[in-house]
Amino acid sequence: MFDFLTQTLSGEPPAATTGQTATLDWIWRAEGILELSPHQPCNSAVVISAGIHGNETAPIELLNQLVSELLRGERALKVRLLVLLGNPPSMQANKRFVDADMNRMFGGRHARYVPGGETRRAHQLEQAMALFYRTSSAAGAIRRFHYDLHTAIRGSLHVRFGLLPLQTRPHGAEMLHWLDAAGLDALVFHRSPGGTFTHFSSEVFCADSCTLELGKALPFGSNDHQQFTGIRLALEALVSEKPLPERQADAPLKRYRVTQDILRSQEDFQLHIPGDALNFSPFPKGFVIAEETGKVFRVEAPEEYVLFPNASVALGLRAGLMLELERF
Ligand SMILES: [Zn+2]
C-alpha cells in the first residue's frame, strides 16, 4: 500500500488508483486527493484538508498518519472521507504558496487572479469537494463536515483556535461540541464572507465547516506532536464515530467575533500594530490600528484583539482582523 503523503510529494499517481481493504474502498481522485468509503452504509460525509499552505507541515503529517492507519485497517472507518493535501508544489518547496495564497481564492475567486498553479488547484479542489458531497448524498451520507487544518505564521496567545465562516444558519451544535472536545483554546466567528476553503464548503454545500489553526509552522519532521494530541484524538473519534475525547485544556473555550477587517486600499497604508505582536494581543479603545489616505482604523470597543496582522499585503487584501471577546 502506498503512503499518501510520500506518493503526493512524488508528483506521480500510485500504480493503481483504486483499491479496497477488508473494510473500505479507496479512490485516488487526483494528486493529493483521496476518497475513502466504508463498505457499510454511513450517514456522514467528512472532508479533512491540510497543506492549503504548503509549509504548514504538522497537520499534513497528522492527517497522513490517520490515512495510513485507515488504509492499514488499524482504525475503523464509519464515515465517507475525502482527504485533501491542498497545495503539493508549495509543500515540496516548504513555502506557504508558490504564486498566491490559495486560501483567498475559493468560491470562484480564483477566476480574478492571474492564472497559475494555485488558481487551477483551487478550482480542482472545489470540483473534488462538489463531486464528493454529491456522491455521498446519493449514497445516503447526508451530514456534511469540513475541517481545514493549518498552523499560524506567528506566535499566538491562544495556541490552538478555530475560525468559523460567516453563515446565515446557526453553526452546528455537534461541530461546536467537537471543537471543544478537540481542546481548542478559542473560536473566532467571521462576520463577512471570504475566499477561504471553509467559507466555500459552508456556503455552497451547507457543511459544518471550521478552519483550525494548530500552533506554529515548522519544517517536516520538526513538529512537536504533543501539542496536537487533542485534535488527533478528536479526528480519530470523528472518522470512527467513537465517543469524543475528554477536553484537555487549561481554560474553557473562549469565543471571539470579528469587529473589523483591516483592508489595505491605498499605497500609503500604514499598520501600527508592532511587527512582533502575537495573535490575540489586546489593544485599548482609541488605539490607531492603521492609517491610509482617507481612512483611520481605530479600536472602537473597550478592548479589541488583533489576529493575523500583516503590513505587507497587496492592495485590496486584508492586513489583519480585529476581534471582540464574547461574554456570556
Ligand atoms: Zn494556513
Side-chain angles (χ1 to χ4, degrees):
M1 181 60 77
F2 63 88
D3 176 83
F4 182 46
L5 175 56
T6 309
Q7 193 70 49
T8 299
L9 291 175
S10 78
E12 299 289 331
T17 54
T18 63
Q20 57 177 227
T21 71
T23 56
L24 61 82
D25 294 299
W26 58 266
I27 306 175
W28 173 279
R29 292 275 184 200
E31 185 177 41
I33 302 179
L34 186 68
E35 196 178 300
L36 307 175
S37 314
H39 289 161
Q40 76 278 23
C42 60
N43 300 320
S44 298
V46 175
V47 178
I48 310 176
S49 48
I52 295 292
H53 295 135
N55 61 341
E56 297 175 357
T57 56
I60 297 171
E61 293 171 336
L62 185 76
L63 184 53
N64 192 54
Q65 173 79 21
L66 184 66
V67 170
S68 300
E69 291 169 4
L70 290 168
L71 289 175
R72 287 198 299 258
E74 295 166 9
R75 192 168 295 291
L77 183 67
K78 295 289 170 74
V79 300
R80 283 176 61 104
L81 180 64
L82 180 67
V83 190
L84 303 172
L85 296 180
N87 192 342
S90 79
M91 284 160 52
Q92 277 150 357
N94 193 34
K95 285 167 64 178
R96 184 172 172 81
F97 52 78
V98 176
D99 295 318
D101 187 342
M102 205 159 68
N103 213 23
R104 304 282 179 272
M105 294 182 183
F106 290 97
R109 291 168 182 78
H110 45 79
R112 298 182 205 157
Y113 283 75
V114 177
E118 271 115 6
T119 61
R120 283 192 297 276
R121 183 63 170 174
H123 187 221
Q124 184 182 35
L125 294 176
E126 289 178 355
Q127 291 182 314
M129 183 177 266
L131 176 69
F132 174 71
Y133 281 137
R134 192 170 65 238
T135 53
S136 295
S137 288
I142 53 170
R143 297 160 72 234
R144 295 172 172 178
F145 297 91
H146 176 209
Y147 295 114
D148 187 30
L149 313 182
H150 290 252
T151 51
I153 302 173
R154 63 177 56 228
S156 180
L157 294 174
H158 296 308
V159 179
R160 292 166 293 264
F161 56 97
L163 296 145
L164 292 120
L166 170 76
Q167 55 188 45
T168 48
R169 65 191 190 281
H171 291 282
E174 191 178 342
M175 174 183 67
L176 294 174
H177 186 52
W178 185 89
L179 293 168
D180 189 40
L184 296 190
D185 304 303
L187 297 180
V188 175
F189 293 81
H190 276 292
R191 292 204 307 174
S192 55
T196 62
F197 204 8
T198 52
H199 184 85
F200 171 72
S201 55
S202 162
E203 182 180 46
V204 176
F205 305 109
C206 292
D208 282 319
S209 305
C210 185
T211 305
L212 300 173
E213 297 281 353
L214 306 165
K216 213 173 164 195
L218 292 170
F220 279 120
S222 312
N223 293 298
D224 169 18
H225 286 274
Q226 278 294 97
Q227 58 175 327
F228 303 102
T229 303
I231 188 71
R232 180 174 58 76
L233 295 174
L235 288 172
E236 291 170 3
L238 176 72
V239 300
S240 302
E241 293 198 329
K242 289 195 308 196
L244 291 175
E246 198 163 322
R247 174 178 172 83
Q248 310 256 330
D250 300 333
L253 183 63
K254 286 194 162 77
R255 288 177 174 225
Y256 296 83
R257 61 191 188 91
V258 175
T259 53
Q260 307 189 50
D261 282 311
I262 310 299
L263 287 181
R264 179 184 178 201
S265 57
Q266 303 283 342
E267 281 298 343
D268 64 357
F269 178 88
Q270 269 198 304
L271 187 68
H272 297 306
I273 305 271
D276 58 355
L278 299 175
N279 280 330
F280 297 96
S281 294
F283 292 89
K285 182 172 178 156
F287 178 84
V288 176
I289 304 156
E291 289 175 274
E292 62 182 17
T293 298
K295 174 111 186 152
V296 179
F297 296 91
R298 271 198 188 83
V299 172
E300 309 278 355
E303 197 160 52
E304 291 182 25
Y305 304 81
V306 73
L307 189 59
F308 305 139
N310 181 358
S312 57
V313 291
L315 278 185
L317 289 185
R318 196 180 72 196
L321 291 170
M322 298 305 289
L323 314 175
E324 197 176 10
L325 191 56
E326 283 194 357
R327 300 184 195 276
F328 300 95

